[in-house]
Amino acid sequence: MTRLTGRALRVTVFVGESDTWRHKPLYSEIVHRAHAAGLAGASVFRGIEGFGASSLIHTTRLLSLSEDLPVAVVIVDTEARVRAFLPQLDELVTEGLVILDDCEVIRYAGRTEPEGGTPS
């Protein structure tokens, strides 16, 4: 299990829900690469409304515009590990926004597994 406390770096990647990488959702590819890189964790959050560089508003309130809602992928780990991962994001994110924030991890705990099995 990865241990992480104290100073860390948060990378947030804003893309569209319909953005793809080799016929797979882009947000999923980012999460799987972060996992393969051994980063502490990644989560995907689906927005209900937003706009980006195109200035086109995407919202769940209008059926015709709800096909490409905003998605945020958030990854937190040490600064060195996050910065080592940035070249992969540079390859994957051709349209979108990538931001870095200093943060402090107060608690990072995974689920405990019972002896010889999966979590209950």
Side-chain angles (χ1 to χ4, degrees), residues 10-63:
R10 175 179 53 205
V11 59
T12 306
V13 182
F14 295 96
V15 294
E17 184 178 35
S18 66
D19 292 347
T20 60
W21 174 260
R22 298 188 177 158
H23 310 292
K24 181 178 176 182
L26 177 57
Y27 60 84
S28 182
E29 181 68 17
I30 294 168
V31 168
H32 283 86
R33 286 196 186 194
H35 184 259
L39 295 175
S43 297
V44 179
F45 300 94
R46 183 177 189 227
I48 58 172
E49 187 167 53
F51 72 94
S54 68
S55 292
L56 179 64
I57 293 180
H58 300 274
T59 178
T60 57
R61 291 182 289 135
L62 301 172
L63 288 176

Side-chain angles (χ1 to χ4, degrees), residues 52-103:
S54 68
S55 292
L56 179 64
I57 293 180
H58 300 274
T59 178
T60 57
R61 291 182 289 135
L62 301 172
L63 288 176
S64 63
L65 296 177
S66 64
E67 298 160 357
D68 191 26
L69 293 170
V71 173
V73 182
V74 179
I75 301 166
V76 177
D77 207 319
T78 64
E79 181 172 0
R81 293 173 69 92
V82 167
R83 290 199 182 276
F85 186 68
L86 291 179
Q88 291 198 56
L89 292 178
D90 192 44
E91 174 190 357
L92 293 171
V93 182
T94 57
E95 293 179 4
L97 175 66
V98 178
I99 62 172
L100 297 173
D101 297 299
D102 289 319
C103 62

